[in-house]
Amino acid sequence: MSVSTIVPWVIGNWKMNPATADVQKWAQQFNQCLQLAPIAQQQCNIAVAPTYLSLISLKENFTGYNRTVHVVAQDVSRFPGTGAYTGDISAQLLQDAHVSYVLVGHSERRELLGDDTQILCAKIKHALDAGLTVVYCVGESLAQRENGEAEAVVLQQVKDIVPVVSADQWEDRIIIAYEPIWAIGTGKTASADDAQAMHAKIREGLKQITAASDRVAILYGGSVKPENAADFAACPDINGALVGGASLSATSFYKIAASFAGKK
Ligand code: 13P
């Protein structure tokens, strides 16, 4: 199997946006786009990570679509099961609510919300134990890139989770999202060549970790827009996109998914 046979993933990360009424409007508009020009399941996996407030209602909206659109939790508790952890939602509760995907390690959570390696590993372990698939985010800061450390930082972030991911889980329970921090929400993107180079390094790094390295989806994130999506989609080791700002518009997000779908 070569990497070109990986079905791409396009995932919208809505972060701390938008209000409930907008969610309904978004769902209607996205459905209209899919009705007008369907994107086949085998061309592209599509998913959206809304806030916890709209996770379940959005999931219900998606059941009326002509294809599967997954919902993704933006975070998960570092504690398993149930218990006295005010404000937290565990992997088991997500699984009970039929939410099968979760983002872990986003740079905003690493930088602003205290998620260090130990916490990330706990989150990933509990998510995998509960049967969830983890979208694990990695990426270097501008200073690290300028100091020539980008590759080492990113490869270390991948290695950090090795103790909690079993050999067989790398293939279909872990999706990696490479998001250079300096490209997030800034309008600056890595060039497709630079992103491809980092993705190839990540895949090379994965070879030391799993026999399934050619089957691990590696997404790019950082100012992906309809205008640049096709450039990323054309790169052999870029298997999709994690989209922030542009995913808040249903039509923009649809166009990005359509670009990746056209890749196959
Ligand atoms: P932007 O697409 O807004 O740069 O955000 C990327 C991101 O952080 C997705 O998780």
Side-chain angles (χ1 to χ4, degrees):
M1 188 174 181
S2 80
V3 292
S4 63
T5 59
I6 297 173
V7 177
W9 279 89
V10 172
I11 304 177
N13 176 11
W14 288 358
K15 309 189 181 184
M16 206 163 70
N17 304 286
T20 317
D22 294 338
V23 171
Q24 300 307 319
K25 211 160 88 191
W26 189 101
Q28 276 171 3
Q29 285 174 352
F30 194 60
N31 196 19
Q32 276 163 11
C33 294
L34 287 173
Q35 298 282 348
L36 280 171
I39 296 175
Q41 205 67 45
Q42 61 275 21
Q43 287 181 301
C44 188
N45 295 295
I46 303 176
V48 178
T51 68
Y52 269 118
L53 290 176
S54 30
L55 199 51
I56 303 304
S57 68
L58 193 61
K59 187 175 165 55
E60 279 162 12
N61 273 292
F62 289 161
T63 57
Y65 281 24
N66 60 8
R67 56 154 295 143
T68 303
V69 177
H70 302 280
V71 289
V72 181
Q74 288 184 19
D75 188 32
V76 66
S77 177
R78 76 188 79 165
F79 301 105
T82 54
Y85 302 106
T86 302
D88 260 15
I89 296 187
S90 70
Q92 188 194 325
L93 293 183
L94 287 172
Q95 195 252 354
D96 283 348
H98 306 289
V99 175
S100 306
Y101 297 87
V102 63
L103 291 182
V104 178
H106 194 283
S107 59
E108 287 149 17
R109 293 215 58 94
R110 290 179 193 257
E111 290 200 319
L112 307 172
L113 295 152
D115 281 8
D116 60 19
T117 302
Q118 200 184 355
I119 291 172
L120 296 177
C121 282
K123 289 181 173 186
I124 291 174
K125 181 187 182 327
H126 300 316
L128 293 174
D129 285 352
L132 308 185
T133 294
V134 172
V135 182
Y136 176 60
C137 305
V138 296
E140 81 284 1
S141 67
L142 185 58
Q144 288 165 334
R145 174 155 284 257
E146 285 174 349
N147 289 338
E149 297 162 2
E151 201 181 300
V153 166
V154 168
L155 292 181
Q156 184 56 50
Q157 289 171 335
V158 174
K159 279 190 206 144
D160 284 346
I161 67 167
V162 168
V164 290
V165 183
S166 66
D168 61 316
Q169 287 171 332
W170 280 97
E171 177 173 351
D172 51 3
R173 305 283 300 287
I174 297 286
I175 295 169
I176 293 179
Y178 168 58
E179 300 202 304
I181 297 170
W182 47 271
I184 295 178
T186 57
K188 289 184 196 154
T189 51
S191 68
D193 285 349
D194 283 350
Q196 163 58 30
M198 183 62 90
H199 282 229
K201 290 285 174 204
I202 294 171
R203 202 173 301 285
E204 213 174 285
L206 284 171
K207 280 205 177 90
Q208 322 297 318
I209 296 170
T210 169
S213 61
D214 278 353
R215 298 188 291 277
V216 180
I218 308 175
L219 321 186
Y220 171 76
S223 299
V224 176
K225 302 184 272 280
E227 296 77 23
N228 59 25
D231 294 341
F232 293 114
C235 298
D237 285 295
I238 299 185
N239 313 114
L242 183 54
V243 187
S247 72
L248 294 172
S249 152
T251 49
S252 294
F253 185 62
Y254 170 84
K255 285 178 189 165
I256 294 168
S259 289
F260 277 90
K263 185 188 177 186
K264 284 217 78 187

